[in-house]
Every structure is written in C-alpha cells, then in structure tokens.
Amino acid sequence: SLDDPAVPTQIATFDAHVSTMTEFHVQGDYLYIFGQGMGGAFFQIVDVSDPSVPVAVALLAGIPYGGSPNYLSFTLHENIAYLNCVNEGLTIVDVNDPTNPQILASYAHPNDYIRATAAVDNYLVVALSQSILVLDVAAPAALAIVFSYQHPGIYNEEMILDDYILYLTQYVSGEPIGTPVLRIVDVHNPTAPIMLASHEDLIGIRLLYKHHNIILSTGSGIPGFSQINSLDMTNPAQPV
C-alpha cells in the first residue's frame, strides 16, 4: 500500500511460477503479466479487485518467442493485447473477457524482429530493430501495413506514446554503445507520421517514462551510464 508514500507496506504477494516477468499492466480490476517461462513466453491475467488477495484467472503458456527475453513486452489497447515475442513477431490476444483470453492472430516481419510497440486509435506502431511500421489493427485477424520507414544503422530501443506524440529512443551507429538519440514524432495521422524533433544530449536510453510534461530516461546498463535524463516536453517540437 502507498497510502503513505513515505512508509510503503506490503499487503500481498503473488507467485506466477515462471522464470521471468518482463512487463505488466493494470486495467480495471485485472493485472496483465507477460514474460518468459512455461515452455516459451506466457501471458497471465490476475484479478486484483481485492489487492490483498490477488487471484489468477487465466493463463496462456508456451507462446513461441525468439531472441532475448529482455525484449518481451506488450501493449494493451481497447481490450486487445499485442504481445511482442521478439523474433517470433506479435501474438494478438482478445481480452474482452479477462477470464478467457483468445489468441486472434499473429504477425512476424520476414527480415527483422520487434523491439517495442505502441497503440493509437486503430493503429499499432511497431519499432523493429532498424525500421518503423504502422499497422492498421481495426481487424486484428487481417493486419495491414499503412506506413513503413527503414533506417539502417540506427537501432531502436524504447518507445512510448502519449497524446498522439511518440517518443522513440535509438542508438546511432551501433548498439549498445552508439550515440543515444530521442526522436519525437507526431502521429495524429498514423499513416503519415511527422518528425517534430530529435535530442542527442543523453546518457543512455534503456528505460523511458513520461510524467506530465517531463520525459525521463535512464542509462543503458553500461558502467558509468546510470544517470537519469530529464527533458521538458511542454513543447514536443522543442525539448529542453
């Protein structure tokens, strides 16, 4: 409990019985967990309507994934979960009934793997290792590419979306020790994204978080690169 932030108290524990939990989101009364374990990747849903007594209500196990489990992640948007299975692409899951999730479709790029995803309206922005795609997901079983941009030699890392502005961190000329860059992109029209600004005065870009008008990013895990970057995004076209 964080009723008193100065004195946090533990009110419950939940054991997912898996190797690694890489990402989780809370929506309504449910906690959605994605990670590695149970013969592949797993997606678990937990009822947290009573936070002191979390109850597992659904599990999808043995989901194929390839590559580093560190990049297993997912986007939850309008009761659809887009599971990033890295080299195996996307697994798309209907969670309209959290107690009975249903796999709807999958998508894999033939020549690249997924680093991050973000959803806006009926579109999913997909950051591959060295390119960006925008998928029309209005019909999840029939995904369509509506925008594609390749940038060889520039490696995508993290991505978040807030109020139709996309914040994408990249390494230029190699990873993980290339030049870290933050790209800021307007996606009001997801079929024609507009680059607003780039910011290169960063030390590491492994984690990315936005709070109000402030973007925070952390070091990349390289010794000596552990500081936190803080940028004012009141005007996304002119980060300071």
Side-chain angles (χ1 to χ4, degrees), residues 89-162:
L90 293 172
T91 296
I92 302 167
V93 182
D94 184 334
V95 294
N96 276 283
D97 178 359
T99 67
N100 186 30
Q102 299 292 315
I103 294 177
L104 297 177
S106 61
Y107 170 82
H109 191 278
N111 302 312
D112 209 344
Y113 61 93
I114 297 174
R115 297 296 285 265
T117 59
V120 53
D121 298 334
N122 288 324
Y123 298 92
L124 187 73
V125 183
V126 179
L128 301 168
S129 67
Q130 298 183 67
S131 61
I132 297 292
L133 299 179
V134 178
L135 303 177
D136 185 332
V137 294
L143 303 178
I145 299 174
V146 296
F147 176 83
S148 176
Y149 176 71
Q150 293 184 323
H151 43 69
I154 299 177
Y155 296 84
N156 296 319
E157 184 67 24
E158 297 271 346
M159 180 169 63
I160 59 173
L161 184 80
D162 182 69

Side-chain angles (χ1 to χ4, degrees), residues 187-230:
V187 290
H188 279 84
N189 179 1
T191 66
I194 299 172
M195 178 75 73
L196 295 179
S198 295
H199 190 86
E200 298 185 4
D201 188 19
L202 301 172
I203 303 296
I205 51 174
R206 184 63 185 89
L207 298 175
L208 193 63
Y209 178 73
K210 187 171 187 287
H211 180 66
H212 299 308
N213 288 322
I214 302 297
I215 279 282
L216 302 173
S217 68
T218 70
S220 59
I222 303 169
F225 281 53
S226 58
Q227 74 183 53
I228 295 177
N229 307 290
S230 177

Side-chain angles (χ1 to χ4, degrees), residues 68-103:
S68 171
N70 294 334
Y71 289 105
L72 290 171
S73 60
F74 74 102
T75 294
L76 187 61
H77 182 64
E78 296 184 352
N79 292 322
I80 302 293
Y82 301 93
L83 310 182
N84 170 19
C85 299
V86 199
N87 290 3
E88 294 293 328
L90 293 172
T91 296
I92 302 167
V93 182
D94 184 334
V95 294
N96 276 283
D97 178 359
T99 67
N100 186 30
Q102 299 292 315
I103 294 177

Side-chain angles (χ1 to χ4, degrees), residues 10-33:
Q10 180 175 306
I11 60 174
T13 60
F14 177 78
D15 189 348
H17 300 289
V18 296
S19 299
T20 307
M21 290 186 284
T22 55
E23 187 161 2
F24 64 87
H25 296 285
V26 175
Q27 179 173 278
D29 289 334
Y30 296 93
L31 169 67
Y32 299 82
I33 304 170

